[in-house]
Amino acid sequence: MDFAERITQSYRQTYRDQAMLAADHHQPVLRPYVSEQTCEGTQFAPALFYDSKKAQRRQGRVPNNRDNPTKRRRRWLKYTGLFDDGEYIDSEDIFKGMQDFQSPTMMAIAGAMKRFVDEDVILDGIFADAYEGEMGAAVKPFLQSQILPATIQDGAGNDATGLNLKKLRENRKLYASHKFDLDAEPIICPITAEQVDDLGDELKLTNKDYWDEAAPQFNARGKLSMVWNHMFVEYQNLTTKQVDYGSGLVTVQRVPTWRKSSVRLGVWKEITPRDTVDSSKYDAPYFWSEASMDCRRLEDTGVSEIECLIG
């Protein structure tokens, strides 16, 4: 009996249930740290945000009602079609694996979808052009003023460096200059394991006054979790680029930082398991997961990039 004849309705339902379990165990690392909305259709979807304002003191014995409308701005999420990952069932191992969410096959597909959401949707969306105005006609590139160069460091050096406390301090000042309440909403900052260790080692060498100012926090496992209002999320697959600081090109890591309310994930379709019999492949069963999402900045000053030398 070939595999197509062994694919019953019960098998398909079990696959879908197990695929959803696998997806639950492979949630995107960065998704909890951005805001979300549900989108429909196959065009741009509006994402509204509001400028801040301040109340005013009443004047006179019988003042008029104050009409002070909140300034609403519109950014747009862009429908970019489906992304997916799957496999043909052409071996007994894959056939059995599609019935177990812990199998290597299931975990590989769920992991592929997870990495795409983190890297190609969220991280790419933070750095990519944003769309504003009527039907997204105004293109907003990433602001150069929101990029901290890799040369920032304590002392008089001009060479590119990795992540350090001076860069975090300058980044905090950058956010504060835009009047954000950093105690109400922390700065999300994904960093690699190497950068976690670098910051931890640097903190050990600082004096007590500097330590008290930085206010470092550690999680239950003793890992550094927050410094100067930056909430760290350990993530290993940050993107890179090449930059010339005057002595030739060097490769730097693009460490993004953002406020959760300043970045919006639009979900047209959640990660969904599917299956079919491919008549073009002699009725070979094909099982896959698919989704459709887009991510964009809502506020250009609510995100930043810290350039860090690798290694």
Side-chain angles (χ1 to χ4, degrees):
M1 182 182 296
D2 62 27
F3 291 112
E5 294 175 345
R6 296 167 64 184
I7 304 299
T8 63
Q9 187 59 39
S10 176
Y11 181 97
R12 288 189 170 92
Q13 187 58 55
T14 300
Y15 156 71
R16 294 178 187 133
D17 293 341
Q18 294 297 304
M20 294 304 295
L21 280 174
D24 288 342
H25 280 71
H26 264 293
Q27 286 290 325
V29 176
L30 303 178
R31 185 171 178 177
Y33 301 99
V34 299
S35 58
E36 288 192 26
Q37 71 178 60
T38 302
C39 301
E40 297 179 349
T42 57
Q43 301 295 325
F44 285 76
L48 299 178
F49 69 102
Y50 306 89
D51 288 345
S52 62
K53 60 181 182 178
K54 187 172 72 172
Q56 301 177 44
R57 193 179 302 279
R58 287 182 174 178
Q59 302 290 335
R61 294 180 57 193
V62 187
N64 294 326
N65 292 327
R66 189 183 309 283
D67 184 19
N68 184 24
T70 303
K71 183 179 179 181
R72 299 166 176 83
R73 286 193 280 172
R74 179 172 292 183
R75 285 278 168 101
W76 294 86
L77 297 161
K78 185 178 182 180
Y79 178 76
T80 54
L82 295 168
F83 56 91
D84 59 29
D85 188 76
E87 287 194 33
Y88 284 98
I89 296 182
D90 57 2
S91 73
E92 192 66 29
D93 287 343
I94 298 176
F95 180 83
K96 293 179 179 178
M98 290 297 184
Q99 300 285 279
D100 179 9
F101 77 94
Q102 294 179 311
S103 72
T105 300
M106 283 289 220
M107 285 298 182
I109 295 174
M113 299 295 287
K114 163 190 168 181
R115 283 184 286 275
F116 191 95
V117 174
D118 280 332
E119 298 170 26
D120 295 69
V121 177
I122 295 177
L123 289 180
D124 281 3
I126 289 172
F127 292 126
D129 291 339
Y131 304 97
E132 192 173 317
E134 190 70 23
M135 295 305 295
V139 179
K140 302 289 185 178
F142 195 94
L143 294 178
Q144 291 298 308
S145 59
Q146 295 298 110
I147 300 177
L148 279 70
T151 53
I152 293 177
Q153 57 190 293
D154 282 317
N158 292 318
D159 294 332
T161 65
L163 187 62
N164 55 46
L165 294 175
K166 177 72 171 178
K167 290 178 181 178
L168 295 179
R169 189 177 187 179
E170 292 300 313
N171 195 53
R172 184 187 186 280
K173 289 169 62 177
L174 178 64
Y175 277 89
S177 70
H178 298 303
K179 311 301 183 184
F180 292 125
D181 186 347
L182 301 180
D183 290 327
E185 188 174 358
I187 303 167
I188 307 301
C189 182
I191 56 178
T192 65
E194 179 183 354
Q195 290 162 348
V196 173
D197 291 341
D198 288 345
L199 290 174
D201 291 341
E202 189 176 356
L203 281 168
K204 293 176 184 177
L205 301 175
T206 61
N207 60 45
K208 186 178 184 302
D209 291 339
Y210 200 75
W211 175 284
D212 292 341
E213 183 183 351
Q217 298 179 26
F218 299 84
N219 62 23
R221 299 187 298 276
K223 185 184 297 181
L224 186 65
S225 60
M226 182 173 285
V227 170
W228 269 312
N229 300 97
H230 291 75
M231 179 183 292
F232 299 127
V233 181
E234 190 168 326
Y235 189 76
Q236 311 306 330
N237 294 328
L238 298 177
T239 57
T240 61
K241 66 180 182 181
Q242 289 194 312
V243 183
D244 188 349
Y245 298 107
S247 56
L249 290 174
V250 294
T251 301
V252 297
Q253 207 153 43
R254 307 183 71 183
V255 177
T257 76
W258 67 86
R259 300 169 68 247
K260 182 173 183 177
S261 61
S262 296
V263 177
R264 181 67 52 82
L265 177 69
V267 181
W268 275 264
K269 186 174 187 178
E270 272 289 357
I271 297 175
T272 305
R274 301 287 305 278
D275 64 88
T276 190
V277 173
D278 190 345
S279 59
S280 68
K281 300 289 185 180
Y282 298 99
D283 292 336
Y286 181 68
F287 287 66
W288 77 99
S289 290
E290 64 184 26
S292 180
M293 304 177 188
D294 183 51
C295 188
R296 302 287 162 172
R297 300 182 307 278
L298 295 187
E299 291 180 280
D300 292 325
T301 56
V303 302
S304 74
E305 176 187 343
I306 305 175
E307 297 174 348
C308 296
L309 186 68
I310 301 174

